Amino acid sequence: MIDSDNTNFGVRDIAWKTDTGFWINGKNIKIQGVAEHYEGGPVGGAWTKPLLRWKLQLLKDMGVNAIRLGHNPYPPMFYELADELGLMLMDEIFDGWKQKALHDYGAHHFDDWWKTDLQEWVTRNRNHPSIIIYSVGNETHGEIAPELVKAVKEFDPTRLVTSGSTNKDGMDVFGINGGSEGKSFFERRFDLPFVSTEAPHTWQTRGYYRTQTWWRDGPKSNTFDLPNITDKEIFFYDWKDPKDWVNQKQHLNSSYDNATVRISARKNWEMARDLPHHSGHFRWTGFDYHGEAGLAHGGWPFIAFMGGALDLAGFKKDLFHLYRSQWLDKPSLHILPSWTHPTMKKGTEIPVWVYSNLDEVELFLNGKSLGRDKPGSKAEEMQCEWLVPWQPGKITAVGYKNGQKVMEQSLTTADAPIALQHQVEVFDAESGFDTAKVISSQTVDKNQTFYPYGAHNVYYHFTDGVKVKALENGSPYEHTNRVRANFRPLFMGKNRAFVEVKYPQAAEYATIGAIVGDEALRLSDQVSIDVQNLPLTNNARNQKQQIDIVYAINDAYSTNMQTYDKPFKVKNGDTVYAKVLVNGKLALTMQQSFGNGVGIFWGDENSANMWIGRGLSMQGEAAEYKGGAVAVTGAHGLHGGGYGTFNNKEGSMYWYHENDGEEGVYKAVFRYTHNDKNSKRPLAIYINNKKATVIEFEPTGSWDSKWSEQAIAEFTLVKGANHIEFRTIGESGPSIDQFSLE
């Protein structure tokens, strides 16, 4: 018996040059890249090959030609797909060489295991032609750098080595993360080839807009100019009333490319494109991902980082279309924002942008031309733009090439939503994985026009041969279980179901239902119950399903539900309950509330004033505790739902804080309480395991209700990982609701 193995490989010529950047097969090209977490997107790390193909194809459709693997080796099928799709890879192994978090690899395993793990990584992956460079780490510092590079070349001398850091000692290519987007950085030159390993850091929430620029840390001397688009803000909707936010960062992020740390996505690409020595950039990130929601988004209940060009569900943000217009030659045309504004005053001037790579674009409002504009190469000219006095109707963008009409796109003002619209995409079985189907749903009005603010619960029933991989809406804050629940609220009018079909020859289908109307009853008090059967296999198309719907208003346990046959009216505060029977068997039990406060929040120009000048908050109940310290819930006047207490004992509270801004001095304002009239309950503040200061707390007269913000301290946070710890010193400490960093 002969043992054999087949290995695919490719041949290409790669060069990294100090003066001219990156070359492949004799061509000088720019890295049009994204940095990705493997678990970015809808299914965490539970990718199948068909669904991973879906993900990578979306990135390629945006114009991505390279991916930085952050920050560890990926499963073999990822490299196989990258080879097949022609995506170049920066293959990366370590997230730091020292401790970044309390329980990470750097803290417990790096010193003993790095050489063994590095050898396995390189020897496993080196036959993949998609790999154009190795990265030995992210946010890396230390004298071990040359040794790591040498070890890589023992096992693969054909590729160069970098790291995502400010440490260039021993590296072949100089890689820098967020520091590479600062204004002064672009004036620097290096004695090595350079690539931006993690930039830019900008944020967008699909369907959300603000005309005022938002800086995560405020504009600094090293930030590029990014002026407000209008003198005063014109959009005032958000995920929740600002008075119920934990801190001022808990707004959504504008999709005009004006929410950032140091630079806009447009300016970053302009600089990378036009500087010959700049090899290009890996944007942070391609897809949104779970985690790291504190720094930019204020922490719980936010659970996702919104830096992607696609959201958690893979829905395209406006950022996707910006890059597509810059990175691909295929004609493109995309309008923003929506033209549906339920609370907008007529005549309000709305900035309308069009991303396009055509020669010029003409905009029409209700059939009347508003003139033409040409996309330019400078950041502020990459979009065609008009200020359009709002009125209901239709805006249409027409793109021209060589004087001829090539493309057009329209946005129409939607009326109240009355139904769902569904689309099914199929990704064939491969490599032992079942066929995957992506079912997209969105709210539409009576004319099938997309209504972009729907937040209705969408309910799903699948036949036995269908496995749910995830129900995902792209929301950065909504917590419904993605696998176990049989429903998911829409986010900004959209939702997706990711499923696998085990037996394609069987009759498999999905029953999808929702109780649909204008949740806040601004546009209409009419409600519809929309239920549709979607065949998921060919045999299911031939089977007719009998659907019966009954409902009741404000009575979940009614024994006399009405048969649904037409839309009906509801009042403020009503909840509709419905049951759906398929072929006589109960398939769905649904409910939906209507009235004030349901769905997204519609505010005004004063809604968020209470947060002006207030900073990022770290919650007491979110700490890790030692000794007598514990978390408590249920007290009065809390921010965030709980607090930390030392329980009249000694102990410590610890928080991890990721700072991708500059190193600097931060002021901490403590929200605390204690009723010890004989002590100021001092705490020692340790930053990165070094004692920074001691702070004392005056008694407030209560242990759990009279909260004060009189205690203030200052300390320095470094760029990257920061460990913040409060330790008692000889006696117990106060109760901590939160502390704000400004």
Side-chain angles (χ1 to χ4, degrees):
M1 182 177 180
I2 299 176
D3 186 19
S4 65
D5 188 21
N6 295 322
T7 300
N8 294 325
F9 70 96
V11 178
R12 71 281 181 280
D13 178 64
I14 289 174
W16 297 82
K17 300 183 180 181
T18 302
D19 294 330
T20 55
F22 179 71
W23 294 72
I24 186 167
N25 296 333
K27 294 183 179 179
N28 187 198
I29 70 169
K30 291 291 181 180
I31 299 293
Q32 300 170 178
V34 293
E36 276 289 288
H37 280 171
Y38 184 71
E39 61 273 19
V43 298
W47 292 102
T48 66
K49 198 168 185 179
L51 284 176
L52 194 56
R53 182 182 295 278
W54 164 84
K55 176 180 180 175
L56 294 182
Q57 187 61 57
L58 278 170
L59 293 174
K60 188 170 182 178
D61 290 345
M62 187 172 80
V64 168
N65 63 13
I67 299 174
R68 175 190 173 203
L69 280 57
H71 306 287
N72 48 263
Y74 286 5
M77 65 181 177
F78 185 94
Y79 302 88
E80 293 167 4
L81 285 169
D83 291 344
E84 178 187 336
L85 295 172
L87 290 166
M88 300 181 291
L89 302 180
M90 175 182 286
D91 198 13
E92 187 165 272
I93 183 167
F94 299 122
D95 190 8
W97 304 328
K98 299 179 180 179
Q99 177 180 354
K100 290 179 63 180
L102 280 181
H103 309 294
D104 67 3
Y105 179 93
H108 300 284
H109 305 295
F110 180 83
D111 290 341
D112 295 330
W113 283 92
W114 74 261
K115 184 70 176 286
T116 300
D117 291 339
L118 185 145
Q119 177 179 354
E120 181 179 347
W121 165 60
V122 174
T123 55
R124 187 195 72 168
N125 295 341
R126 61 191 176 190
N127 280 346
H128 290 285
S130 53
I131 298 172
I132 57 171
I133 193 170
Y134 293 118
S135 169
V136 288
N138 172 61
E139 296 179 356
T140 49
H141 306 275
E143 297 178 356
I144 197 173
E147 191 175 351
L148 289 165
V149 175
K150 180 181 177 182
V152 170
K153 293 186 176 182
E154 286 180 26
F155 309 117
D156 183 1
T158 69
R159 293 176 174 93
L160 300 187
V161 182
T162 188
S163 65
S165 69
T166 54
N167 184 341
K168 65 176 182 177
D169 293 337
M171 299 298 160
D172 301 312
V173 175
F174 191 19
I176 294 187
N177 287 355
S180 65
E181 59 194 22
K183 188 174 182 179
S184 62
F185 182 85
F186 291 97
E187 300 171 1
R188 296 173 60 187
R189 290 298 302 273
F190 310 103
D191 54 3
L192 295 173
F194 164 74
V195 65
S196 181
T197 43
E198 189 177 303
H201 294 84
T202 69
W203 297 284
Q204 290 191 357
T205 308
R206 172 176 51 84
Y208 179 86
Y209 300 91
R210 288 292 186 271
T211 60
Q212 304 295 290
T213 301
W214 183 76
W215 303 92
R216 187 201 64 189
D217 304 318
K220 308 288 186 182
S221 60
N222 202 30
T223 57
F224 283 84
D225 292 337
L226 189 56
N228 296 328
I229 302 172
T230 62
D231 291 337
K232 294 183 178 181
E233 187 56 68
I234 63 172
F235 299 106
F236 306 109
Y237 60 97
D238 221 301
W239 70 287
K240 196 175 188 179
D241 189 332
K243 67 179 175 54
D244 296 323
W245 299 351
V246 172
N247 55 65
Q248 69 159 339
K249 291 191 176 183
Q250 293 203 314
H251 50 72
L252 302 177
N253 290 123
S254 172
S255 292
Y256 275 118
D257 188 29
N258 58 350
T260 184
V261 181
R262 307 174 190 86
I263 192 172
S264 70
R266 290 162 294 153
K267 188 66 177 180
N268 194 85
W269 175 243
E270 175 198 333
M271 301 300 286
R273 180 197 64 204
D274 292 348
L275 291 171
H277 72 279
H278 199 305
S279 297
H281 71 66
F282 292 92
R283 174 187 174 80
W284 190 258
T285 53
F287 276 71
D288 287 352
Y289 60 91
H290 290 104
E292 296 193 295
L295 180 63
H297 314 315
W300 187 265
F302 280 75
I303 54 174
F305 191 89
M306 290 183 277
L310 301 107
D311 67 18
L312 287 168
F315 289 119
K316 301 168 184 175
K317 304 182 189 181
D318 295 307
L319 189 62
F320 177 101
H321 299 280
L322 163 66
Y323 283 122
R324 188 175 184 275
S325 72
Q326 296 298 310
W327 288 353
L328 292 176
D329 294 330
K330 184 179 179 181
S332 63
L333 187 74
H334 174 74
I335 312 174
L336 63 136
S338 161
W339 207 241
T340 299
H341 305 287
T343 62
M344 184 75 71
K345 293 180 181 178
K346 287 185 179 180
T348 301
E349 290 192 324
I350 297 179
V352 175
W353 288 13
V354 176
Y355 293 132
S356 182
N357 55 10
L358 299 174
D359 293 341
E360 58 181 351
V361 177
E362 186 172 12
L363 191 71
F364 296 84
L365 174 61
N366 295 329
K368 180 181 178 181
S369 176
L370 302 181
R372 298 189 181 193
D373 195 9
K374 296 180 179 181
S377 60
K378 296 297 183 182
E380 63 275 11
E381 300 169 353
M382 287 180 181
Q383 73 279 353
C384 301
E385 56 184 310
W386 300 259
L387 275 176
V388 183
W390 187 73
Q391 59 177 286
K394 180 166 69 174
I395 54 172
T396 300
V398 178
Y400 300 90
K401 184 80 170 178
N402 298 324
Q404 301 297 312
K405 174 181 174 181
V406 176
M407 300 180 71
E408 79 172 54
Q409 182 193 9
S410 295
L411 298 176
T412 302
T413 305
D415 203 346
I418 67 164
L420 297 179
Q421 186 181 74
H422 308 292
Q423 178 186 4
V424 181
E425 298 174 85
V426 181
F427 297 87
D428 293 335
E430 58 177 312
S431 300
F433 294 104
D434 294 328
T435 296
K437 303 214 170 185
V438 180
I439 306 170
S440 303
S441 303
Q442 63 181 21
T443 37
V444 294
D445 71 3
K446 61 181 180 295
N447 298 314
Q448 297 294 294
T449 300
F450 171 53
Y451 177 77
Y453 306 111
H456 311 81
N457 291 328
V458 179
Y459 293 83
Y460 298 84
H461 173 76
F462 298 99
T463 47
D464 291 342
V466 179
K467 178 182 179 181
V468 177
K469 295 287 290 183
L471 304 178
E472 181 56 72
N473 58 16
S475 167
Y477 59 82
E478 198 274 315
H479 305 147
T480 304
N481 191 288
R482 290 152 176 77
V483 178
R484 294 186 179 91
N486 74 330
F487 74 96
R488 193 76 196 270
L490 298 162
F491 177 66
M492 293 298 183
K494 295 187 177 185
N495 191 32
R496 272 183 170 147
F498 297 82
V499 302
E500 291 179 312
V501 179
K502 184 72 174 176
Y503 306 108
Q505 303 307 315
E508 307 287 5
Y509 60 87
T511 303
I512 306 177
I515 303 168
V516 186
D518 177 16
E519 300 109 303
L521 304 181
R522 283 187 170 85
L523 300 175
S524 173
D525 60 1
Q526 294 284 312
V527 168
S528 302
I529 302 178
D530 181 66
V531 180
Q532 299 178 43
N533 260 332
L534 273 64
L536 299 180
T537 59
N538 288 333
N539 284 338
R541 300 179 190 278
N542 303 321
Q543 295 192 8
K544 184 174 179 60
Q545 307 294 324
Q546 175 65 38
I547 297 178
D548 297 295
I549 306 169
V550 294
Y551 74 97
I553 299 176
N554 298 329
D555 186 356
Y557 305 103
S558 173
T559 58
N560 190 29
M561 286 186 161
Q562 302 178 60
T563 299
Y564 175 76
D565 55 8
K566 62 181 180 181
F568 53 91
K569 292 184 177 182
V570 295
K571 302 186 299 297
N572 182 46
D574 281 350
T575 298
V576 178
Y577 299 90
K579 294 182 178 180
V580 178
L581 290 84
V582 177
N583 298 330
K585 293 183 178 181
L586 181 64
L588 298 173
T589 300
M590 308 190 296
Q591 71 178 70
Q592 181 67 49
S593 297
F594 295 90
N596 296 336
V598 181
I600 67 172
F601 170 75
W602 295 93
D604 58 36
E605 62 272 20
N606 300 311
S607 297
N609 286 353
M610 61 176 289
W611 288 109
I612 293 175
R614 299 172 69 178
L616 170 68
S617 297
M618 310 288 279
Q619 296 305 119
E621 71 278 8
E624 291 191 32
Y625 303 104
K626 290 183 179 179
V630 295
V632 178
T633 59
H636 300 289
L638 298 175
H639 288 178
Y643 68 94
T645 182
F646 290 94
N647 206 25
N648 217 29
K649 301 176 183 177
E650 288 208 67
S652 67
M653 299 180 185
Y654 163 87
W655 294 263
Y656 173 81
H657 177 63
E658 182 81 17
N659 176 24
D660 66 350
E662 299 298 327
E663 178 174 322
V665 176
Y666 287 74
K667 181 172 73 173
V669 179
F670 299 82
R671 192 169 193 267
Y672 75 95
T673 187
H674 78 83
N675 196 26
D676 187 344
K677 297 178 182 179
N678 299 316
S679 173
K680 294 183 179 181
R681 294 278 174 133
L683 291 176
I685 310 300
Y686 283 77
I687 306 297
N688 299 321
N689 297 315
K690 294 182 179 179
K691 188 176 179 179
T693 187
V694 173
I695 185 168
E696 296 181 332
F697 300 84
E698 296 286 347
T700 66
S702 169
W703 287 109
D704 64 357
S705 61
K706 295 182 179 179
W707 301 97
S708 173
E709 294 185 352
Q710 299 305 309
I712 298 173
E714 291 188 347
F715 44 74
T716 298
L717 297 179
V718 301
K719 180 165 58 178
N722 286 271
H723 307 276
I724 303 172
E725 189 173 11
F726 302 167
R727 300 179 188 174
T728 57
I729 44 178
E731 58 181 310
S732 188
S735 298
I736 302 291
D737 180 23
Q738 67 180 26
F739 67 98
S740 299
L741 296 175
E742 299 177 0

